[in-house]
Amino acid sequence: MQKHIVVIGAGPAGLESSANLSNLGFRVTLVEKEEVTGGHLNKWHALFPSLASGKHTIEAIVKGLNPGIKIQTATKVTGIEAVNDYFTVSGHNGWQEKADAVVLTTGFQLFDSHRKEEYGYGIYENVITSADLEKQFASGKEFVNRQGKKPERVGFVHCVGSRDEKVNNLHCSKVCCITAVKQAIEVKQMIPEADVFCFYMDLRMFGRHYEELYKQAQEKYNIQFIRGRLSESTEDKDGNIIVKVEDTLLGKPLRIKVGLLVLMAGMEFPPATKALTNMLGLKNVSDGFIQPLDEVLHSNLTEIPGVFIAGTCSGPKSVSDTMADARSAALAVAEYLK
Amino acid sequence: MEKKVKNFGYSVTRDRQIDFDANNHDVGKIVALAEPTLHLCISCGTCSATCTASQFTEFSLRQVILLVRRGETKGLLKEVSKCMLCGKCQLVCPRNVSTRNLIIQISRALCNHEVSGSAMLKP
Amino acid sequence: MTFDLFVLPFFFGLIFLTVVLVQKYSRWIAMMDSSDRVKAGMALFSVNLLKSIKEVVLESLLHRKMFKRNPLLGYMHMSFALGWLLLIILGNLESRVYSGGHINPPYYPIFLKFFIHDKRVLPFELFTLPGFFRFIMDFILLFVLSGLVLALFKRTRSKWFGLKKTTQHNSFDKWAITSLWLIFPMRLLAESFTAGLYQGGGFLTNTLGSIFDAILPLQYLAYPAWWAYSTMLGIFFVTLPWSRFMHIPTEIVLIFLRNAGIEQGKYPGSFSEIELSSCPRCGVCIDVCQMNEVDKTSSTAVYLIRSLRDQQPDKQLNANCMMCGRCLQACPVGIDTLGLRVGARSVDNKSIAMDFSYLKKQPFVGEETGIVYFAGCMGHLTPGVKRAIVQIFNHAKIDFTFLDEDGSICCGRPLKLAGLREAASKLVSENTRMIKNTGAQLLVTSCPICLKTFNNDYQLEGMKVMHHSVYIDKLVTEGKLALRPEELKAVYHDPCELGRGSGIYEQPRNVLKQIAEVADVAEEQENSLCCGGSIGELAMDFTQRNIIRDNALKILCESKPDLLVTACPLCKKTYDSANCIKVKDIAEVVAANLVSVKHQPKTTEMVEQG
Ligand code: SF4
Ligand code: SF4
Ligand code: SF4
Ligand code: SF4
Ligand code: SF4
């Protein structure tokens, strides 16, 4: 009999592992809580480092899907139960399936920047997040701040909600450094006369071509990188944001006025998924993300046989890393069901 | 055999360097014992950006922490004496460094040190 | 016969105790500031004395506050204190009956039943003087013994007494308490044995005496029992000055000095020493202290006091305290536990000299104004609160100046709490100068820490200082602000410095009640918990702070509210960091629900509608 696999979460990881599993000859059901597949990528205008369109990327993945894959959208998974040698997966709307294996591709949630009150998100109009900025890019409208003016200066704040124990997130979200560089370049392309600043603690340019993008930001776009973490921001009468950091390389406090401040919100493990993993008895580690059986040897396996993980549910990843992880998860499932 | 020569004029000016080996690391050890979060600082500068005292004077908690860790304790007592213990730094530090206790411990260690000048002292 | 060798342990113990007490008291008087000495002297001849006597009776004898806390605990303490005092007083009177009014040696009344064997059988015994005394003395002894039984139970069943944890005692305490506990059973035995042999006891000792007589060779046992009784008294007196029971003679002095208006002042000083000796180590302050939650019971007030009294100060112990004031609130003796902690810290940190000479005097620019707003250091990290205040002021059309819009210097309270009083006073005078420059009549602040020190340590000459919650309440009452109710269940957290620190409980609640349904919290108002973010705590790490925070949140959120409201930027940030419930400052809740004043139904309309 054809083995059946339920993949939970239809972001890039879910789509890609479903495609691979289907190609390997399994029956696949892909469950997604939203109306549409694609996850966060739908809302992402362009991907680093190539500036490829998020939407096109998703379309390309979806195009590769085998028509045999059953896609169950608008279904929140509310229960997974291990019964003998299979799992019963059920959704909030009464949907239920039996599965021989389950792949969790539940992804991340964006850090809620309201939680850094001193940064002023939700308080000062011209403090926005990286996600807001992508939306603005995607809208194709003219690039203006909330007062309808072209900002003369734009600031990017790295590590918002990441590497910050005050919000219980010690981990690095990996992608926001390069995203800031990418977005800084895009801003510069839209308003060449604007000055763009990145406030960072460390620039983590770990991926291929990331360093090149960083160099391009310096060389071609004259983006300034200031090593200092934002302590707090205030607003002046005209709605400009006054940023307070220490220029740590000079050892002096620095105050700078920007017309728009972009917070590079990090990745968090979603509480809704936490309920699911608790139900399964999966151990999350202190950073909240799901712990694989072995981080080196079995990065797609969990301590429960038949439950697999791929993508950002097991820690922050770039889209390309997520895709690779999804493929390797498909192989791990095939190995298990052999 | 290489000849030992004194100075042709090329030698580095020693006072510019942090002479890690010659520096006294006792203060750092004492402070770390009393407040282990000394080692957690990543020099992000959030504390010194928000610092009440730093608005008025050249004082940076971030630098103070580094100087203690490098054993550069000369003149440091004067620096820490500028802190108002207001606690803003503690509220913003992403590494949960116990900054206020750090300042107290650094001051205590430096005071004891400057008074007696001796090696390992009780925290 | 008015003397026997066995009285000697008691007698020497008493002389020893008297000498030690005289020496201690003289030292305290000598150490006192001369102004305090004058105050104390004057108080001796004023109504203050009556006040003190009343307080001594109510608290030291009747243990009123203990009763309120837990009736069983109160009864236990009362039976010892009141019972023993009555035994002494009535014993004295009884001895006069037999000595024809002569003044007797001090041991005589204590051991009266040894010296006097009144074998008379009296008709209507209770209505004769000796008969009355026989009865009443036995009755009081029974009263004390009932307290003793409770004290024994308290060892193992402290929960009955409202205590989860009881004080761990040192060796002096153990000697003292053992002898104390044995005094009354020994007295019972000695008197019963003697009554068994010669009659002359009351309902208790006579009855017991005849029972004992039937089974024991009392002629051999009575005399040793008197020795044991005397010895226990002797041991108790000798150990008393170094044990917690020193509180008995000291507490009375403390009450007197306090009523004379004397405050803690310098540390160490005679007042602080008297306070240290006044603590009976009742342990009431242990359970209320949140240090228990992070295994720092050893930092609670009772152990602070003991370590200081024993001159074994411990820097870590002194530093680990949130200065929340819960112990101060609970202490039945009214010891200024916070002041003592600050004092101890001032000794620990005395080598630290802060230098704020860099604060160059800036010329005052700005206009004089009627009302100034001061956000405070912490307030700058909660821009939501700042914005709300500005909205509220503007909505009520109140002209004001934002004093520290561009930042400020610290109010000095954190330094003071760390024991660095001198450094704090420098900031106080700097701030005072700047605040006075504004010429304002009213200073509104968002920070309860600032509020407390502005009110207590600043001389602002006629300028009123208010927390924003109080000011908002005033505006609402005066009809200058109108609020719109919301479908919302909220709980209110009393910030330590605003509630216990400044006595402000009602105003923020009044305001909040106009907007939301305010649910009760198990520990609120005077008993409110500390959020864990305290600036008074010097050394606790964040893991522990978070435990305290989470436990407090658990209690606050018991009724599953939609919103947690507080009135302190530090509390707000602390609770917010847990990310488990929406947290807002009272000012933010108000700013989100402002309606124009004329839209609000007038009071008369409301009456008509209602
Ligand atoms: S990737 Fe960069 S911005 Fe993102 S959390 Fe890591 S260091 Fe911070
Ligand atoms: S406590 Fe001291 S170092 Fe920290 S912010 Fe205040 S003044 Fe600066
Ligand atoms: S905020 Fe914390 S981690 Fe950053 S420099 Fe200051 S002490 Fe170090
Ligand atoms: S400080 Fe007060 S509450 Fe605590 S043990 Fe002493 S008397 Fe009791
Ligand atoms: S002030 Fe608070 S933390 Fe400190 S000892 Fe008293 S109850 Fe405990």
Side-chain angles (χ1 to χ4, degrees):
Chain A
M1 203 188 77
Q2 199 185 19
K3 300 265 182 172
H4 179 218
I5 300 147
V6 170
V7 179
I8 304 171
L15 290 168
E16 183 68 4
S17 42
S18 298
N20 282 274
L21 284 165
S22 182
N23 291 343
L24 286 166
F26 296 105
R27 188 162 74 87
V28 179
T29 305
L30 177 58
V31 207
E32 166 59 43
K33 66 178 189 307
E34 303 292 336
E35 301 280 338
V36 291
T37 58
H40 294 278
L41 263 192
N42 288 331
K43 297 177 218 146
W44 223 254
H45 175 244
L47 303 180
F48 56 79
S50 61
L51 302 191
S53 149
K55 221 167 118 210
H56 292 164
T57 309
I58 280 295
E59 281 166 8
I61 304 172
V62 171
K63 213 186 281 169
L65 290 185
N66 204 317
I69 299 172
K70 187 173 167 232
I71 300 180
Q72 176 78 27
T73 53
T75 304
K76 236 179 258 162
V77 173
T78 48
I80 309 176
E81 211 187 333
V83 194
N84 304 327
D85 58 346
Y86 62 91
F87 298 89
T88 315
V89 188
S90 38
H92 76 288
N93 48 7
W95 168 88
Q96 205 175 46
E97 282 279 0
K98 275 187 189 173
D100 297 294
V102 174
V103 185
L104 299 177
T105 50
T106 46
F108 67 95
Q109 78 173 17
L110 210 63
F111 173 78
D112 175 9
S113 298
H114 290 99
R115 286 172 61 196
K116 292 300 290 175
E117 184 181 349
E118 60 269 39
Y119 288 5
Y121 185 62
I123 297 172
Y124 308 133
E125 283 185 321
N126 288 319
V127 178
I128 64 168
T129 65
S130 41
D132 298 336
L133 187 61
E134 284 298 326
K135 256 183 248 157
Q136 177 150 10
F137 288 154
S139 75
K141 291 200 199 112
E142 203 196 351
F143 189 82
V144 288
N145 70 8
R146 301 296 145 123
Q147 276 75 32
K149 282 192 295 194
K150 275 192 186 176
E152 288 167 22
R153 281 184 186 155
V154 178
F156 286 87
V157 182
H158 290 227
C159 303
V160 175
S162 313
R163 305 180 68 197
D164 183 358
E165 296 207 65
K166 286 294 185 300
V167 294
N168 302 320
N169 287 333
L170 180 61
H171 65 270
C172 165
S173 293
K174 265 173 106 175
V175 296
C176 14
C177 269
I178 180 68
T179 303
V181 171
K182 183 209 73 143
Q183 293 189 335
I185 290 176
E186 287 171 295
V187 166
K188 213 44 200 190
Q189 286 170 343
M190 291 190 178
I191 320 174
E193 65 277 18
D195 291 323
V196 179
F197 302 86
C198 284
F199 303 100
Y200 71 98
M201 290 196 274
D202 299 285
L203 284 174
R204 302 198 161 163
M205 298 292 147
F206 64 95
R208 183 152 185 226
H209 297 317
Y210 290 12
E211 195 69 21
E212 283 83 342
L213 201 66
Y214 173 27
K215 189 177 169 196
Q216 205 182 78
Q218 295 174 293
E219 200 171 34
K220 199 163 157 199
Y221 297 102
N222 190 23
I223 289 157
Q224 299 211 43
F225 291 87
I226 298 178
R227 190 190 177 280
R229 183 173 172 271
L230 178 67
S231 70
E232 73 231 59
S233 59
T234 48
E235 189 185 33
D236 75 0
K237 304 269 182 295
D238 309 318
N240 290 314
I241 305 299
I242 300 160
V243 168
K244 245 171 122 178
V245 297
E246 190 197 13
D247 192 328
T248 57
L249 300 181
L250 283 175
K252 277 188 183 166
L254 179 138
R255 208 173 234 267
I256 182 170
K257 213 187 262 183
V258 296
L260 191 72
L261 189 67
V262 185
L263 308 180
M264 306 308 298
M267 293 187 187
E268 277 187 326
F269 193 71
T273 319
K274 176 105 189 179
L276 220 57
T277 56
N278 282 349
M279 212 181 299
L280 271 169
L282 285 181
K283 273 190 222 86
N284 294 23
V285 282
S286 59
D287 64 358
F289 294 96
I290 302 172
Q291 182 70 358
L293 194 59
D294 185 297
E295 273 172 281
V296 178
L297 298 174
H298 307 295
S299 56
N300 298 108
L301 269 51
T302 66
E303 72 241 67
I304 300 171
V307 176
F308 298 83
I309 46 177
T312 50
C313 69
S314 64
K317 280 175 196 70
S318 66
V319 179
S320 42
D321 288 353
T322 297
M323 298 291 283
D325 200 38
R327 287 170 213 131
S328 94
L331 285 180
V333 177
E335 171 87 359
Y336 168 75
L337 292 179
K338 192 167 63 183
Chain B
M1 226 181 102
E2 192 191 3
K3 278 185 194 150
K4 298 265 182 228
V5 283
K6 278 256 153 53
N7 188 352
F8 284 124
Y10 288 123
S11 52
V12 178
T13 322
R14 299 272 166 208
D15 344 343
R16 282 279 306 132
Q17 291 176 322
I18 297 176
D19 197 338
F20 199 86
D21 303 329
N23 277 357
N24 189 326
H25 298 283
D26 287 348
V27 172
K29 283 181 196 150
I30 294 162
V31 172
L33 219 59
E35 186 46 71
T37 58
L38 171 76
H39 294 315
L40 295 184
C41 173
I42 48 173
S43 277
C44 70
T46 321
C47 55
S48 28
T50 201
C51 176
T52 309
S54 298
Q55 300 178 82
F56 301 94
T57 179
E58 271 189 35
F59 160 69
S60 156
L61 177 58
R62 181 188 60 80
Q63 283 180 331
V64 166
I65 291 171
L66 270 185
L67 290 169
V68 170
R69 295 208 297 213
R70 302 284 185 269
E72 294 272 294
T73 51
K74 226 171 101 191
L76 202 56
L77 188 56
K78 198 162 166 285
E79 277 308 299
V80 280
S81 76
K82 294 170 178 171
C83 166
M84 301 182 184
L85 283 189
C86 72
K88 273 183 95 183
C89 47
Q90 193 148 324
L91 235 60
V92 297
C93 174
R95 274 303 184 90
N96 278 346
V97 175
S98 285
T99 50
R100 294 166 81 239
N101 194 34
L102 210 50
I103 293 191
I104 292 173
Q105 299 303 338
I106 293 172
S107 305
R108 273 190 202 158
L110 287 171
C111 285
N112 292 346
H113 214 78
E114 291 197 356
V115 172
S116 65
S118 71
M120 277 308 268
L121 293 150
K122 279 216 192 109
Chain C
M1 180 175 70
T2 52
F3 179 78
D4 189 283
L5 266 182
F6 86 84
V7 307
L8 286 181
F10 160 79
F11 193 60
F12 286 129
L14 187 65
I15 290 175
F16 179 82
L17 176 62
T18 314
V19 171
V20 174
L21 287 186
V22 167
Q23 183 251 331
K24 271 189 189 274
Y25 286 168
S26 329
R27 199 170 142 258
W28 286 336
I29 294 172
M31 269 165 61
M32 241 186 234
D33 280 345
S34 51
S35 63
D36 282 351
R37 223 176 291 145
V38 173
K39 265 193 210 160
M42 304 238 288
L44 266 181
F45 305 99
S46 72
V47 278
N48 268 329
L49 189 64
L50 295 177
K51 230 171 99 189
S52 302
I53 291 171
K54 185 179 153 208
E55 197 182 330
V56 168
V57 172
L58 281 178
E59 303 304 344
S60 308
L61 287 177
L62 300 180
H63 288 86
R64 185 183 52 153
K65 281 193 198 140
M66 292 270 200
F67 257 105
K68 272 197 206 150
R69 181 144 215 106
N70 180 292
L72 221 47
L73 191 66
Y75 177 83
M76 184 194 97
H77 282 268
M78 180 185 75
S79 67
F80 272 101
L82 183 67
W84 202 359
L85 183 78
L86 288 177
L87 276 182
I88 294 170
I89 294 173
L90 293 174
N92 233 293
L93 295 178
E94 188 183 21
S95 73
R96 306 255 169 128
V97 172
Y98 294 97
S99 63
H102 291 299
I103 296 200
N104 298 305
Y107 57 81
Y108 187 73
I110 309 282
F111 306 116
L112 187 72
K113 294 290 155 68
F114 178 84
F115 296 112
I116 304 285
H117 303 140
D118 187 356
K119 295 184 182 169
R120 287 176 291 174
V121 179
L122 301 157
F124 302 110
E125 179 171 298
L126 260 179
F127 301 98
T128 63
L129 209 48
F132 168 73
F133 276 118
R134 281 182 204 167
F135 170 79
I136 198 75
M137 292 301 279
D138 268 20
F139 183 79
I140 297 169
L141 184 59
L142 195 61
F143 175 53
V144 178
L145 286 168
S146 68
L148 177 63
V149 172
L150 285 182
L152 284 168
F153 265 112
K154 182 168 160 264
R155 291 265 126 162
T156 52
R157 301 253 178 356
S158 58
K159 256 189 252 133
W160 293 4
F161 296 79
L163 299 171
K164 276 190 233 124
K165 287 194 175 158
T166 53
T167 324
Q168 301 297 309
H169 295 302
N170 62 14
S171 57
F172 266 115
D173 283 345
K174 282 182 189 147
W175 274 101
I177 201 163
T178 312
S179 56
L180 175 68
W181 282 3
L182 285 172
I183 286 171
F184 300 100
M186 282 307 149
R187 177 172 175 142
L188 180 71
L189 286 185
E191 289 190 346
S192 299
F193 291 168
T194 308
L197 292 172
Y198 310 105
Q199 296 300 309
F203 67 94
L204 178 67
T205 43
N206 264 0
T207 318
L208 278 179
S210 42
I211 296 172
F212 285 140
D213 194 28
I215 50 172
L216 295 169
L218 291 188
Q219 63 275 34
Y220 302 115
L221 292 177
Y223 190 59
W226 285 105
W227 264 100
Y229 174 35
S230 169
T231 310
M232 288 309 127
L233 281 165
I235 294 176
F236 181 66
F237 289 155
V238 171
T239 48
L240 180 140
W242 292 275
S243 75
R244 62 200 180 108
F245 298 105
M246 184 61 199
H247 83 93
I248 301 169
T250 324
E251 199 181 325
I252 299 164
V253 182
L254 177 68
I255 290 174
F256 170 73
L257 292 180
R258 208 160 44 203
N259 283 326
I262 296 171
E263 283 170 5
Q264 205 176 66
K266 66 173 191 293
Y267 180 94
S270 62
F271 193 85
S272 64
E273 280 200 13
I274 290 168
E275 280 189 307
L276 293 178
S277 292
S278 296
C279 168
R281 291 172 206 161
C282 66
V284 167
C285 55
I286 300 179
D287 280 345
V288 297
C289 181
Q290 290 161 275
M291 288 293 152
N292 286 311
E293 298 166 10
V294 290
D295 292 328
K296 291 193 192 297
T297 306
S298 60
S299 278
T300 52
V302 60
Y303 295 114
L304 167 83
I305 290 173
R306 191 173 73 190
S307 70
L308 298 179
R309 204 187 128 190
D310 294 350
Q311 299 192 329
Q312 290 171 333
D314 176 331
K315 288 187 177 129
Q316 193 65 28
L317 186 163
N318 298 343
N320 278 136
C321 161
M322 303 188 290
M323 303 298 255
C324 68
R326 280 170 62 85
C327 50
L328 184 68
Q329 177 71 29
C331 175
V333 184
I335 295 170
D336 182 5
T337 49
L338 300 189
L340 289 171
R341 180 90 59 173
V342 168
R345 289 174 175 182
S346 74
V347 174
D348 296 344
N349 291 336
K350 69 170 178 295
S351 61
I352 302 177
M354 292 302 182
D355 178 8
F356 306 126
S357 53
Y358 58 83
L359 291 171
K360 306 239 168 47
K361 288 196 171 64
Q362 308 280 346
F364 176 68
V365 272
E367 291 163 51
E368 292 212 346
T369 164
I371 299 177
V372 288
Y373 170 63
F374 190 82
C377 299
M378 300 293 169
H380 288 287
L381 297 174
T382 51
V385 182
K386 283 197 292 184
R387 185 184 57 165
I389 297 279
V390 173
Q391 279 174 359
I392 294 167
F393 273 121
N394 289 342
H395 187 87
K397 301 204 174 49
I398 287 163
D399 287 328
F400 74 104
T401 305
F402 196 153
L403 193 57
D404 59 340
E405 191 167 14
D406 272 340
S408 62
I409 60 173
C410 179
C411 64
R413 184 149 171 83
L415 281 166
K416 188 179 166 186
L417 290 176
L420 299 165
R421 292 184 215 225
E422 206 185 308
S425 70
K426 286 182 204 157
L427 295 184
V428 169
S429 60
E430 273 303 311
N431 274 315
T432 306
R433 194 179 53 77
M434 290 190 276
I435 294 171
K436 273 195 187 161
N437 274 343
T438 63
Q441 285 95 51
L442 177 64
L443 172 64
V444 178
T445 179
S446 285
C447 178
I449 304 167
C450 299
L451 177 81
K452 170 118 178 136
T453 191
F454 285 161
N455 276 328
N456 290 9
D457 309 313
Y458 281 57
Q459 249 100 46
L460 294 172
E461 285 159 26
M463 193 186 300
K464 259 188 100 79
V465 185
M466 268 186 203
H467 184 257
H468 68 235
S469 61
V470 179
Y471 189 61
I472 293 171
D473 182 48
K474 188 167 162 285
L475 290 176
V476 172
T477 321
E478 288 171 357
K480 288 183 185 150
L481 275 186
L483 304 171
R484 159 186 61 206
E486 217 184 310
E487 195 63 48
L488 190 75
K489 182 157 131 194
V491 284
Y492 176 72
H493 163 78
D494 293 279
C496 298
E497 295 273 60
L498 192 66
R500 279 182 297 271
S502 297
I504 294 165
Y505 301 107
E506 287 312 321
Q507 296 91 328
R509 281 190 173 77
N510 288 344
V511 175
L512 188 58
K513 276 181 191 151
Q514 305 236 358
I515 297 169
E517 176 205 340
V518 184
D520 288 339
V521 177
E523 310 261 341
E524 62 182 343
Q525 309 228 1
E526 292 86 352
N527 299 323
S528 153
L529 293 165
C530 178
C531 68
S534 162
I535 210 78
E537 163 64 57
L538 297 179
M540 205 197 295
D541 67 37
F542 276 86
T543 321
Q544 293 167 328
R545 283 182 185 271
N546 290 352
I547 292 172
I548 289 176
R549 173 197 71 191
D550 293 345
N551 288 341
L553 275 171
K554 226 175 272 159
I555 292 178
L556 282 163
C557 296
E558 245 159 30
S559 62
K560 304 233 177 335
D562 310 309
L563 180 68
L564 168 58
V565 180
T566 186
C568 167
L570 187 52
C571 297
K572 186 190 174 198
K573 279 211 84 66
T574 306
Y575 283 139
D576 222 4
S577 69
N579 195 28
C580 75
I581 181 173
K582 212 155 120 201
V583 188
K584 280 202 178 328
D585 188 280
I586 182 75
E588 292 173 286
V589 183
V590 167
N593 292 284
L594 290 170
V595 284
S596 114
V597 177
K598 54 179 186 292
H599 286 155
Q600 202 199 29
K602 293 223 176 64
T603 353
T604 49
E605 284 171 19
M606 287 205 286
V607 173
E608 280 163 24
Q609 284 167 358

